[in-house]
Amino acid sequence: MIQKLDSKIPDGPLENKWRNYQIKSRLINPTNKKKLNIIVVGSGLAGAGAAATLAELGYDVQCFCYQDSARRAHSVAAQGGINAAKNYQHDGDSIWRMFYDTLKGGDFRSREANVYRLAELSSPLIDHYVQQGVPFAREYGGVLVNRSFGGVQVQRTFYARGQTGQQLLVAAYSQLYKMKRAKKVTIFARHELLDIVRIDGKAKGIITRDLVNGKLKRFAADAVVLATGGYSRVFRLSTLAIGCNCTAIWKAFKRGAFFAAPSFTQIHPTALPQTSAAQSKLTLMSESLRNDGRIWVPKRKDEPRAPNEIPEKERDYYLERRYPSFGNLAPRDIASRAAKERIDKGYGVGRLKNAVYLDFKHAIERFGIDTIQDRYGNLFKMYKKITGVDAYKEPMQISPAAHFSMGGLWVDYELMTSLPGLYAIGECNFSDHGANRLGANSLLQASIDGYFILPNTINNYLVNILEEQQPTIEHPEFEKVESEVKKHIDRLLTINGSKTVDHFHRELGKVMWQECAMSRNKKGLESAISSIEEIREAFWTDVKITGSAQEMNPELEKALRLADFLELGLLMCTDALQREESCGAHFREEYQTKEGEALRRDDTYSYVSAWEYNKGNFELHKEALTFEHVQPAVRNYK
Amino acid sequence: MKVTFKIWRQAHSDAKGEFKPYEVNGLTEDMSFLEALDHLNEHLVRSNEKVIAYEYDCREGICGQCGLFINGRAHGPHPHMTTCQLHMRSFKNGDTIIVEPWRAKAFPVIKDLIVDRSAFDRIIEQGGFISAQTGTAAEANSILIGKKVADKAMDAAACIGCGACVATCKNASAALFTSAKINHLNSLPQGHQEANKRAIEMTAQMELEGFGSCTFTGACEVECPERIPITNIAEMNARRTKAKWMG
């Protein structure tokens, strides 16, 4: 089966691989490009970037999103910044160093060639965004400013206040509309993908539901690109937008695309803590705050005093204590686990004792309030709006929350999934982050996949199908898939049980958070699998959805998404159970060092787990990870 | 905590709408306003009624998708805040809260509290971008932009496209939205090449969409979650006038 997992890494030394690929890649002349149409699902940085760039190249593009406008995609919410190996700070940065930091940050569970390409293309990406009018932060003299992020010791993060994702997304969205005006892109907002159509073993189209009137629609294309983001809403409470879902990648999985490293999900250390059971969302506070904020808990359990009344010597700056060389800028997986350790031992703060302090007192004393305001003003404002507390005067309370999915559809070097003609870009693929993503690498990967890589690799597939007959929506396969979708919807609507969709989502979230988040073990994962089976069974017999399929029906939308999350949860637990080692965000309690750090087992688990769907069962394929240029080391941030 | 919501219900864009009262129990002050509506919707499902349709996505004030007219104000009682950031602690036990969709000719109601804001996208389509292809960029630091200019561009670029400015304006004018994009791009050197064309074409589209004219009441800047100031509109008008002379 191993031939199914050809990663297509090009020949040559690491630094020449991408160039060698491009030299050998086959081209399509402009007249023929016009005849080829491409579906892009999702309009975030990856989706909008790809759709706009493919349209510039001359392809006929259709772009879909479930939101009311392409500008809402969740890339918009990334706050802190985007990394690039520009070495503007003259602090010893280079492509090689960025490559190494990212590979190490991912605990050596990603491909060298992919990660090197990510670092290599980071610098031209900043040029690109500056050209698009992104108002990055600047020095008085007019040059670009950088700051640090977790897991690195150089300053390579570019930012636009605490709204970097928004600024990049608005740039990508405006490029998308530029190409709409040029009549090269058609945009379908409020359309949700419900299945993928596969003809003769290739992806040839999609079935969507028009969320305004409920109509099912068929779209045919020569290639389908998924750019549908992450799946951490499987935990229900997460930093993601409420609508973020796994449906597109899950349907792709069921149609033959492999799912890689599903259990590698990142828990972000600095979100706002949960305060009530009715909560629908955990708001992220950017990691950039850790540049100047210091994290601590009281040294005394159940400390009754307010934070400002606790003297210095009675505070435990636990990250600085445990990881003196990286301190508050330890990578996310490590910072989250360290917070969990303190909270579990009873040192947590806040009403539910589920938070730690993030304190700016020293930074304000050192740099002055104006500088701190300039750097993080909007984050402090946001904090005040949500909590009612002024963080210039007392420390923020923060807590770990489900955030990013390193796992996703398995893709080769060309970003094609194991289903020919189906591509996955941005967060919905597994590619570059290994078992843990470094801060400010997410906007980077989404953008690079969309703007730079896919437009240079998709031609290699399309050139071979130029002679093939164009697919049409009259093909019997479209008929078949559409009727399957319709049956799925009808089945949900006829259950007419007694409990709401949210009820089941809360149940699923509890199990996933308890057993498949920051800390995992065999017994817990096994019990999670049976609990999820039970919740799924109960969902399909007792869920109640009002309204019909032929109208705008937000409750039905939620139910369709949850039906897939319930299956994804099983795959995540299966994957976490199978991987008997700890690496990055995947921490198996059975495999830890004496100091409580992750214990990787390179002899047995140095591979990418790629799961195949087979009639309701999950079958594992392994893509061996070989390290030719870097020797995997024990990740040390002490 | 218990409140009574009076909520605009409208089955679809051509249907006649009306306010319907809903008494809601079991709320807490910690709940966000949207979580209170979620709570009501779960109750409606259990009572075999159709849920209320309202918009949201990120629920952290940045995507711009949420937007409700609450007790006569866009995004509720506080200035500079999105609906998703509003919490029930801003209301009192026993309050009656009136919830309407954005009201503007250019934002037709789709269902209940959801309106169609695609007019904003069409304004952006008429020049809210820089016409440069992927792959053509020069080295980033070869374009120097002073901090003041960059900061000012960022102030305007912060617009989240929620439409509160239109909803709160008695003329339903989209001048604040349109000016924010024009000023963001026109104040940067990258945007200079197309500055005049942009100012003319985007404002023309704004009028075509049926938004009203700006009469400088200043209502928009009070509600704008990103505090985009009304001086942007004056700047846009100056840019358009200049563009018309210069061609």
Side-chain angles (χ1 to χ4, degrees):
Chain A
M1 297 299 269
I2 203 75
Q3 74 277 8
K4 276 192 170 175
L5 280 178
D6 178 7
S7 58
K8 297 192 202 152
I9 304 296
D11 296 333
L14 200 51
E15 52 276 22
N16 293 346
K17 282 185 191 292
W18 178 234
R19 203 171 45 146
N20 287 350
Y21 174 84
Q22 286 177 294
I23 290 168
K24 288 185 186 158
S25 175
R26 296 177 61 197
L27 301 178
I28 301 173
N29 82 47
T31 336
N32 281 337
K33 277 188 189 142
K34 273 188 228 158
K35 297 180 201 155
L36 293 163
N37 55 69
I38 301 172
I39 283 172
V40 178
V41 186
S43 65
L45 283 185
T53 306
L54 291 167
E56 285 172 1
L57 289 170
Y59 297 108
D60 178 24
V61 180
Q62 293 171 304
C63 182
F64 297 80
C65 66
Y66 71 80
Q67 298 92 339
D68 77 319
S69 162
R71 69 179 295 155
R72 315 287 183 209
H74 200 55
S75 306
V76 79
Q79 298 165 352
I82 179 164
N83 289 331
K86 283 280 195 192
N87 193 26
Y88 281 164
Q89 303 310 316
H90 204 57
D91 55 1
D93 201 6
S94 63
I95 292 172
W96 179 268
R97 197 177 286 275
M98 182 167 169
F99 152 72
Y100 186 76
D101 285 344
T102 303
L103 201 70
K104 175 186 169 194
D107 219 354
F108 303 95
R109 287 292 172 265
S110 42
R111 291 184 198 130
E112 278 184 339
N114 284 57
V115 176
Y116 192 88
R117 178 174 64 181
L118 184 77
E120 184 183 355
L121 296 176
S122 65
S123 179
L125 185 70
I126 298 302
D127 302 340
H128 169 77
Y129 276 130
V130 166
Q131 184 189 43
Q132 307 278 317
V134 171
F136 284 119
R138 291 186 181 258
E139 303 284 3
Y140 283 94
V143 297
L144 292 152
V145 183
N146 296 108
R147 61 184 171 201
S148 294
F149 253 65
V152 301
Q153 289 174 313
V154 294
Q155 295 191 310
R156 65 162 77 100
T157 307
F158 294 78
Y159 63 97
R161 292 198 189 134
Q163 292 163 265
T164 317
Q166 183 211 18
Q167 291 309 308
L168 302 190
L169 180 73
V170 168
Y173 151 82
S174 58
Q175 291 302 303
L176 187 64
Y177 270 84
K178 177 189 84 181
M179 296 318 293
K180 177 170 185 279
R181 188 183 188 182
K183 298 197 169 24
K184 293 285 187 188
V185 176
T186 320
I187 298 166
F188 296 88
R190 297 193 198 273
H191 278 65
E192 183 153 8
L193 181 150
L194 291 185
D195 214 335
I196 286 161
V197 180
R198 177 180 168 155
I199 299 173
D200 300 330
K202 291 176 186 157
K204 290 288 183 188
I206 60 172
I207 306 290
T208 64
R209 183 166 178 271
D210 181 330
L211 301 183
V212 174
N213 55 27
K215 281 194 182 120
L216 296 181
K217 296 182 187 169
R218 308 170 184 183
F219 296 90
D222 295 289
V224 177
V225 180
L226 300 185
T228 55
Y231 52 79
S232 285
R233 275 280 289 168
V234 71
F235 295 99
R236 180 171 158 86
L237 280 178
S238 80
T239 64
L240 300 202
I242 307 298
C244 289
N245 65 81
C246 72
T247 292
I249 57 173
W250 195 253
K251 298 301 183 196
F253 176 56
K254 287 184 142 180
R255 296 276 170 207
F258 290 5
F259 203 126
S263 71
F264 289 180
T265 50
Q266 180 168 73
I267 310 301
H268 197 291
T270 57
L272 300 187
Q274 186 181 359
T275 53
S276 79
Q279 204 153 331
S280 57
K281 152 99 191 179
L282 296 172
T283 302
L284 182 75
M285 299 307 289
S286 167
E287 173 166 314
S288 62
L289 292 168
R290 291 199 273 144
N291 263 289
D292 291 306
R294 296 179 71 196
I295 292 176
W296 62 277
V297 290
K299 281 187 179 164
R300 188 161 64 157
K301 282 186 193 179
D302 297 318
E303 171 64 64
R305 285 172 293 179
N308 287 340
E309 289 163 20
I310 302 172
E312 275 302 311
K313 63 176 193 309
E314 292 175 45
R315 299 175 174 196
D316 176 13
Y317 294 90
Y318 58 87
L319 283 176
E320 298 171 27
R321 167 171 60 79
R322 288 180 64 178
Y323 307 100
S325 63
F326 281 73
N328 293 295
L329 284 174
R332 290 178 179 174
D333 53 340
I334 287 175
S336 288
R337 267 201 299 278
K340 179 177 161 48
E341 190 269 341
R342 287 289 85 185
I343 292 167
D344 288 351
K345 288 228 166 96
Y347 297 95
V349 300
R351 204 156 42 114
L352 301 179
K353 301 281 172 209
N354 59 350
V356 299
Y357 291 124
L358 176 62
D359 200 337
F360 290 87
K361 194 179 89 179
H362 295 102
I364 291 169
E365 282 165 10
R366 192 167 154 208
F367 302 112
I369 199 159
D370 289 348
T371 304
I372 297 302
Q373 230 156 19
D374 201 42
R375 286 179 189 167
Y376 315 108
N378 66 322
L379 297 171
F380 279 62
K381 256 185 235 156
M382 186 161 104
Y383 186 80
K384 185 153 190 202
K385 279 182 192 171
I386 296 170
T387 63
V389 174
D390 181 355
Y392 293 107
K393 294 191 177 134
E394 66 175 278
M396 291 181 179
Q397 289 181 15
I398 52 155
S399 193
H403 184 52
F404 186 85
S405 328
M406 282 76 71
L409 292 180
W410 182 90
V411 288
D412 60 22
Y413 191 75
E414 298 182 308
L415 304 182
M416 186 153 83
T417 67
S418 47
L419 173 59
L422 182 73
Y423 290 79
I425 58 175
E427 190 176 346
C428 79
N429 71 24
F430 88 101
S431 79
D432 303 345
H433 308 294
N436 173 54
R437 177 175 66 73
L438 288 186
N441 265 356
S442 161
L443 295 176
L444 174 73
Q445 182 233 333
S447 305
I448 282 181
D449 282 4
Y451 282 111
F452 292 165
I453 301 176
L454 183 79
N456 277 298
T457 59
I458 201 166
N459 39 306
N460 226 18
Y461 168 78
L462 290 173
V463 73
N464 291 319
I465 64 162
L466 261 176
E467 301 307 315
E468 284 180 18
Q469 183 134 30
Q470 300 281 310
T472 71
I473 56 168
E474 275 74 45
H475 191 285
E477 203 56 34
F478 273 93
E479 182 72 42
K480 184 171 155 266
V481 178
E482 188 187 319
S483 79
E484 284 170 18
V485 171
K486 193 174 172 303
K487 264 188 216 144
H488 184 64
I489 293 173
D490 291 345
R491 202 182 140 205
L492 274 172
L493 288 172
T494 48
I495 297 167
N496 200 19
S498 66
K499 296 197 174 71
T500 62
V501 178
D502 282 339
H503 163 81
F504 294 105
H505 204 164
R506 283 189 288 266
E507 296 288 299
L508 172 66
K510 259 184 250 166
V511 174
M512 291 301 292
W513 184 249
Q514 194 59 39
E515 304 299 349
C516 199
M518 272 177 288
S519 190
R520 303 154 174 191
N521 64 60
K522 185 166 186 283
K523 202 171 143 234
L525 288 164
E526 282 168 350
S527 87
I529 289 173
S530 57
S531 306
I532 297 168
E533 293 278 18
E534 283 163 25
I535 298 166
R536 191 171 151 222
E537 177 69 30
F539 171 79
W540 281 102
T541 48
D542 198 23
V543 74
K544 185 176 179 70
I545 303 157
T546 51
S548 76
Q550 287 78 37
E551 62 180 327
M552 177 177 261
N553 189 342
E555 207 58 20
L556 175 63
E557 292 165 29
K558 282 200 255 181
L560 286 164
R561 293 167 191 161
L562 182 61
D564 294 325
F565 278 135
L566 283 164
E567 296 180 13
L568 171 66
L570 289 173
L571 179 64
M572 289 170 68
C573 292
T574 305
D575 182 54
L577 185 62
Q578 187 274 335
R579 188 166 279 273
E580 295 184 336
E581 67 161 349
S582 294
C583 58
H586 170 65
F587 190 77
R588 278 284 297 264
E589 289 160 16
E590 302 93 321
Y591 307 97
Q592 51 181 309
T593 64
K594 270 187 234 141
E595 297 85 37
E597 302 294 342
L599 183 68
R600 228 174 49 224
R601 296 174 64 198
D602 289 341
D603 50 342
T604 335
Y605 290 97
S606 187
Y607 58 77
V608 175
S609 303
W611 296 88
E612 180 181 12
Y613 183 85
N614 187 2
K615 300 189 186 102
N617 295 317
F618 308 136
E619 285 172 16
L620 179 65
H621 300 263
K622 298 172 183 175
E623 181 201 333
L625 288 168
T626 45
F627 296 92
E628 293 170 35
H629 306 271
V630 165
Q631 193 55 41
V634 175
R635 218 159 53 118
N636 184 2
Y637 293 97
K638 288 190 191 276
Chain B
M1 183 175 180
K2 178 179 151 186
V3 300
T4 303
F5 286 113
K6 279 194 177 169
I7 296 177
W8 184 259
R9 300 299 306 260
Q10 183 174 338
H12 52 85
S13 52
D14 302 324
K16 193 169 174 290
E18 60 175 340
F19 282 104
K20 280 199 178 163
Y22 298 92
E23 260 191 29
V24 187
N25 287 305
L27 302 176
T28 65
E29 296 198 330
D30 279 339
M31 278 183 172
S32 74
F33 189 81
L34 293 178
E35 283 160 5
L37 292 182
D38 294 344
H39 180 82
L40 167 58
N41 265 350
E42 285 202 68
H43 176 74
L44 290 179
V45 170
R46 285 190 292 264
S47 335
N48 211 21
E49 285 184 54
K50 284 185 184 182
V51 294
I52 300 155
Y54 47 94
E55 296 226 77
Y56 51 81
D57 205 23
C58 79
R59 294 204 180 185
E60 56 182 274
I62 193 72
C63 78
Q65 186 149 340
C66 67
L68 297 172
F69 220 66
I70 301 163
N71 284 343
R73 281 189 71 175
H75 292 309
H78 306 293
H80 313 307
M81 188 186 264
T82 58
T83 300
C84 66
Q85 291 172 318
L86 177 64
H87 284 70
M88 292 310 288
R89 58 176 170 265
S90 299
F91 300 93
K92 289 195 301 289
N93 192 31
D95 273 0
T96 296
I97 305 169
I98 298 168
V99 192
E100 299 169 75
W102 281 173
R103 301 280 190 198
K105 190 175 128 206
F107 288 167
V109 173
I110 294 177
K111 182 171 188 170
D112 297 340
L113 302 170
I114 294 185
V115 298
D116 178 357
R117 282 167 293 190
S118 56
F120 272 8
D121 293 329
R122 290 188 294 272
I123 293 174
I124 296 296
E125 190 178 335
Q126 296 308 317
F129 49 76
I130 286 165
S131 299
Q133 276 195 217
T134 303
T136 57
E139 157 48 50
N141 262 345
S142 65
I143 311 168
L144 295 181
I145 304 171
K147 187 175 184 316
K148 265 192 183 167
V149 176
D151 282 352
K152 193 163 167 277
M154 179 64 216
D155 289 343
C159 169
I160 61 173
C162 64
C165 48
V166 174
T168 196
C169 174
K170 63 175 183 166
N171 307 321
S173 164
L176 192 66
F177 169 81
T178 310
S179 67
K181 186 45 64 186
I182 291 175
N183 295 338
H184 157 216
L185 294 175
N186 284 19
S187 61
L188 292 171
Q190 300 94 309
H192 278 180
Q193 301 305 322
E194 300 163 287
N196 290 344
K197 189 170 185 292
R198 180 178 299 118
I200 290 171
E201 293 183 357
M202 285 181 72
T203 49
Q205 187 65 31
M206 172 180 86
E207 283 158 14
L208 252 165
E209 293 290 346
F211 291 105
S213 298
C214 171
T215 50
F216 284 96
T217 66
C220 53
E221 70 170 6
V222 177
E223 301 299 11
C224 175
E226 294 295 327
R227 298 168 186 259
I228 293 170
I230 193 176
T231 45
N232 274 286
I233 300 177
E235 190 178 330
M236 169 179 79
N237 290 344
R239 288 184 191 280
R240 178 161 69 163
T241 309
K242 186 181 146 210
K244 280 186 172 164
W245 287 342
M246 313 285 278

